[in-house]
Each structure stands twice: as structure tokens, then as C-alpha cells.
Amino acid sequence: MSAEILPAQAPARPYRPPAPLPRTKPLSTLGFMAALRENPVATWGIWNFEKPITNGRTALGPMTGVSSPEGIRHVMVDNVSNYVKDRLQLRVLKPGLGTGLLTAEGESWKAARRTLAPLFAPRTVESFVGAMQAKSQAMVTRLLAFPTGTRINISDEMTRVTFEILTDTLFSDAVDGTSQEFGQAFTRYFENQGKISPLDMLNAPDWIPRFNRFRAQPAINFFEEKVKQIIARRRGLIATPGAVVPRDILTLLLEAADPETGIGLSEAEVGANIVTFIGAGHETTANALTWTLFLLAKHPAAQTAVAREARDAENIAPVDWLDNLPMTRAVIEEAMRLYPPAPTLSRMALADDEVLGVRIAAGSTVIISPYVVHRHRTLWSEPDYFRPERFLPPARDQIDRYAFIPFGAGPRVCIGQRFAMHEAVIVLATLMRHLGFVMPKGESVTPLQRITLRPSPKLEMLLAHADAST
Ligand code: HEM
């Protein structure tokens, strides 16, 4: 790396990245609602990070926070049929994601999951690696045009590259010319939709207008229209004799059929799942990468190690990087531990239950927060510190399956997990082969929860061209 930009020496001690300090006193009802709207990740109290389970009444009704691996396994696996997506979550997500997999329930979810599983099978995901690498390389070429020391908006770059990868693998760049407009509409949708309306918290009826929903509506309309056009065009192509039809996710969606019933997806389901894949897979992966780069900029030794590993991988095919670049994978996993892109998972109990000896009443909400679990005092040593080596083999094998849940767990675990991990490793390794990153002096970011956990303000860093000597 360019010597004047990138410090050659690693800090000797682990780095404690920015995070809101846990509260030491419970908030009043009004205070809780205001804090929840402002930044949900800042509402947690120290007790949440110390106890395996917490129980109480909040402005949102009775709520139980489950943070022990045993309790998480109970809710997400052993007694999963008793827990459905809760009302508040559906109210926030459903207007945009419709009948897609993320918001489906019961039998329709089961059928959709069976139908969509082949789209995310390892072989299929591997067929997308070429597109992931091409888009990553295009980003590097773009960035290399800037001289060392240039200030780059990393949040925007990661949003752009993950969006390009997703649209390319979804519909082979069929968004023609409007990709940026498409991306901006989605970001606007998330920004407005991601702020929880006090009316939703209070379970006010749907007909009372929510300001945020009102603002998100044009973005939702834009999407639905665009996605409809893309589907219609593809159907036309499939019906054209002799036409070359790309084997992307759109074609796979149109061909998909439930292996049990043989029934395919309706037009509305194809559209809803396209929007769902963008909604669930875009900001999440972009934030995972942005936080990873932030942590690497703060920890030059780790940055140098990743850069070396990436350059040494010259003779390894990108499809094998995920399993052969342990340090690259470890920093991404440690970034997702500290800043889980989906920081809160929630469910509603259908019937009375008991978790770790605590009664869960039917209708009450259970919160499983990857953010809390990943920083729990009883599950991790130095939980608030950046220590990627915990994810290097063989230490990684010691991590409880239910203590590290960036992709959730059980039957509703993220269907795009393998896609996201291949993508993150390929983007990061391709970048680190050619470039280094440094935080401008005196600047930092804090985590802000807007459905996903993003850096605030947007992350800007100084670019350094790599030189082979490091
Ligand atoms: C770093 C990136 C990602 C993270 C951290 C992430 C996280 C998650 C989590 C935590 C869940 C479970 C939600 C719950 O239990 O309530 C989930 C579900 C889901 N994710 Fe991801 N995700 C990522 C990338 C992706 C990608 C790339 C796609 C698709 C292209 C995707 C599609 C989905 C879908 C469709 C579901 C719903 C699955 C179901 O309910 O059956 N995700 N994701």
C-alpha cells in the first residue's frame, strides 16, 4: 500500500469499534417509543447483554428477549411451529414485499420455500460467481482511476456494486439504463419504511395514514411497474423460438415448480419474490461489506493480512475463494457479529409456551436480536472488540451455532446465505488485491438501525493504491 496513507504498523491491542453504550436504566414508555423510532439498536439495556432471557411489558405489549443459544434453538427450531412473524414486522415489510418468501406464513411459505430452494442451491449460486467477479472487477477499475488519497463514499460504492451484482444475477442487466433509478427508489423505500411509525407501535388500524408509508408509496409503485415490465419482456423472450434465454434468477423463477405439487409461482409471486430478493439481499450485503471495510481501515494489520491472502489467491478459482480465503471470510464474519445487517428478528407466539423456565403468553412478541446475542457477555470474550481470529479455524468450530446468527436459524434461515457469503468474499478480495482504505483523521461512524444496520453518517474513506511490497 502507499506508505504515506496506510500505517505500516498494526495496533498491538484489539480495536473497540463504535457502538451505543447499553442503557443502565430502563426507559419510560414515551422515551422507549422515541428511542425506538430514532435508533432501535440504542434502546438495549446492559441487562439484555447479561441475561439469557428478559421479560417485560413495553409500549409494544408483552415482550420477551431471548439471547441464550438454548432459548434461540427452542424458538427457531424445536418449537418453530408456535412462532410466526409478528404484526409489527409484517406491517413494516409487507407493503413493499407483498407475498414474497420473507413475509409469507404457514402453508404458502412452505410451498414457496420448497419451490425457491433450487434457486439458491450451491450449484446454482456457483453459476453466479462469474457475474459477482465481473461486477467487483468493474468497481476496482473505476476506483483505480482515482489517485491515492482520494476521498471515496464507501457506503455508496458498496450499495452500487451489490445492486449491480443482484440485478445482473436476477435479470442479466435487463433493467436497462434505469438501474440507478431502480436502486435509488429502493433506497428511498427503505429509508422511509425503515422508520417505525408510532401508529404501528400502537397497533392503530391500517386505514390511518402513516407519513412514512405515504412517502414510500411512489417508490413501491415505481417498483411494481418496473418489475412487471421486466417479467413481461422475459416471458416474451422465452416464447420466441430460437431466442437465447439467460439462465438467471428470473428465468429460474418463471420455470420454478413446487416439487410436491408441481405448481409454479403466480405472476404476483414472481414479482413479489424479485422485490423480496432485492429487499432482503441488497442493503444487507452492502452493509456487511461497508462495515468490514470500516473495521479493516481501523485495523491495518488485518487489512494487510486480507490483502496478502487475496493476492496469494491468484491461482485459486473465485468459486473456491469462500472456502479457501479464511482470513477474508473471518473479517466478514466478525464484521457481521459486531454489526449484524439484520439486527433484530421477531416472532409472535401462537400458543402459550415456556422458554428457559419463563412463560411466554400466546400473542406476545419474542425478540431474538443478533446484535444483542453477538455481544452477549456470557457468550463471547471481549464481545465489543474486533477480533477476527475468533472466526479462523479451528477457533471457529467452538462457536455455538445459535450464538452467531447473522442469517437467522432454523427453517426460516436466510435462503440467500451462500449467495451473500460468496458475494462478500469475492467483492472484498477483489478490492483488497488492488486497493487499501484509510479513515480520514478524526472521523468515525456509528451504527444506525433502519431495518438494516448501517453506518451513520455514510462511510467515507481515503483510497490507497496497492503496491506489491506489503
Ligand atoms: C449479508 C447478507 C444477508 C444477511 C445478513 C441476511 C439475513 C437474513 C436473516 C437474518 C433472515 C431471517 C429473518 C427471520 O428469521 O426473521 C433472512 C431471510 C431471508 N433472506 Fe437473507 N440475508 C442476507 C442476504 C440475502 C440475499 C443475498 C438474499 C437473496 C438474494 C436473501 C434473501 C432472503 C430471503 C428470501 C429470506 C426469507 C427466508 C424465509 O423466510 O424462508 N438474503 N436473511
Side-chain angles (χ1 to χ4, degrees):
M1 309 287 160
S2 178
E4 75 277 16
I5 288 287
L6 203 61
Q9 289 304 311
R13 56 198 159 70
Y15 166 62
R16 189 184 202 284
L21 281 180
R23 294 180 184 275
T24 49
K25 286 189 195 130
L27 286 159
S28 67
T29 301
L30 274 182
F32 176 72
M33 282 174 70
L36 198 60
R37 187 168 163 71
E38 201 51 45
N39 189 11
V41 87
T43 58
W44 299 109
I46 187 68
W47 52 93
N48 295 110
F49 297 90
E50 290 171 345
K51 296 184 178 174
I53 188 160
T54 52
N55 213 359
R57 266 206 89 78
T58 68
L60 307 180
M63 199 172 271
T64 305
V66 178
S67 303
S68 81
E70 193 191 341
I72 293 168
R73 190 192 152 111
H74 177 88
V75 173
M76 300 192 104
V77 182
D78 299 338
N79 199 18
V80 65
S81 58
N82 190 45
Y83 293 94
V84 291
K85 301 256 165 150
D86 63 292
R87 174 183 54 76
L88 185 62
Q89 182 183 172
L90 292 181
R91 278 191 172 201
V92 171
L93 295 176
K94 239 187 162 145
L97 305 185
T99 50
L101 187 66
L102 189 68
T103 45
E105 277 297 350
E107 285 308 311
S108 54
W109 169 77
K110 275 189 194 157
R113 183 91 193 195
R114 281 195 305 263
T115 310
L116 297 176
L119 275 66
F120 293 93
R123 274 280 186 81
T124 320
V125 173
E126 284 164 14
S127 74
F128 299 138
V129 160
M132 294 174 182
Q133 227 227 331
K135 295 294 177 190
S136 307
Q137 195 54 54
M139 170 183 56
V140 166
T141 307
R142 206 166 58 233
L143 292 179
L144 279 172
F146 296 106
T148 285
T150 306
R151 197 178 170 105
I152 298 288
N153 187 321
I154 293 295
S155 298
D156 286 353
E157 286 297 334
M158 294 306 110
T159 300
R160 178 170 170 181
V161 72
T162 50
F163 191 72
E164 286 179 355
I165 288 173
L166 209 47
T167 48
D168 200 15
T169 48
L170 276 169
F171 10 76
S172 310
D173 277 344
V175 214
D176 48 57
T178 53
S179 159
Q180 232 177 339
E181 204 186 346
F182 200 78
Q184 281 163 358
F186 216 90
T187 306
R188 248 193 335 271
Y189 164 67
F190 256 77
E191 260 157 23
N192 291 309
Q193 205 66 4
K195 266 197 179 170
I196 300 166
S197 161
L199 291 165
D200 283 331
M201 292 186 213
L202 297 172
N203 200 13
D206 268 336
W207 52 263
I208 301 180
R210 272 74 162 163
F211 187 55
N212 59 337
R213 233 182 263 175
F214 189 68
R215 284 206 305 204
Q217 199 55 48
I220 295 172
N221 295 347
F222 173 84
F223 257 129
E224 287 182 351
E225 211 30 60
K226 266 276 158 281
V227 168
K228 261 191 210 152
Q229 284 170 14
I230 291 168
I231 295 172
R233 239 185 294 151
R234 180 61 55 86
R235 280 211 193 279
L237 191 67
I238 292 173
T240 310
V244 180
V245 181
R247 301 300 300 161
D248 52 19
I249 293 182
L250 176 56
T251 299
L252 297 177
L253 268 172
L254 292 171
E255 289 175 357
D258 183 338
E260 281 184 18
T261 62
I263 298 172
L265 299 168
S266 70
E267 199 76 13
E269 284 169 333
V270 171
N273 278 303
I274 286 180
V275 178
T276 294
F277 295 157
I278 300 174
H282 175 219
E283 290 247 346
T284 42
T285 317
N287 282 325
L289 279 162
T290 306
W291 284 116
T292 304
L293 288 170
F294 169 73
L295 291 165
L296 288 181
K298 289 288 192 177
H299 202 294
Q303 184 167 165
T304 304
V306 172
R308 279 220 185 100
E309 187 176 78
R311 272 183 247 141
D312 289 348
E314 204 123 283
N315 296 323
I316 305 175
V319 73
D320 296 323
W321 285 2
L322 180 59
D323 296 325
N324 288 286
L325 272 58
M327 186 61 185
T328 310
R329 188 181 177 143
V331 296
I332 294 166
E333 293 196 314
E334 177 69 344
M336 287 198 295
R337 182 187 70 81
L338 287 163
Y339 300 110
T344 310
L345 311 178
S346 51
R347 299 290 189 267
M348 187 187 78
L350 290 175
D352 287 353
D353 192 16
E354 201 181 288
V355 180
L356 305 170
V358 172
R359 183 173 170 268
I360 312 282
S364 63
T365 306
V366 173
I367 301 283
I368 294 174
S369 162
Y371 182 83
V372 171
V373 176
H374 292 176
R375 291 170 182 261
H376 206 275
R377 291 356 184 194
T378 64
L379 299 176
W380 304 88
S381 65
E382 298 192 289
D384 293 331
Y385 284 80
F386 176 66
R387 283 187 42 206
E389 62 278 10
R390 45 177 130 229
F391 285 99
L392 285 175
R396 202 199 183 298
D397 300 337
Q398 305 305 313
I399 298 172
D400 192 301
R401 165 65 190 94
Y402 299 97
F404 182 59
I405 49 167
F407 294 102
R412 294 209 74 146
V413 71
C414 177
I415 201 168
Q417 174 171 355
R418 217 177 150 72
F419 183 111
M421 285 308 296
H422 268 295
E423 179 181 7
V425 165
I426 286 170
V427 171
L428 186 63
T430 309
L431 264 178
M432 299 311 294
R433 273 184 170 186
H434 304 279
L435 293 159
F437 297 93
V438 187
M439 278 304 285
K441 271 211 168 67
E443 290 185 30
S444 194
V445 289
T446 50
L448 174 70
Q449 181 172 351
R450 288 281 176 270
I451 302 184
T452 55
L453 194 63
R454 57 173 67 162
S456 174
K458 283 186 177 183
L459 179 66
E460 295 194 351
M461 292 201 290
L462 306 179
L463 207 67
H465 286 224
D467 89 47
S469 63
T470 49

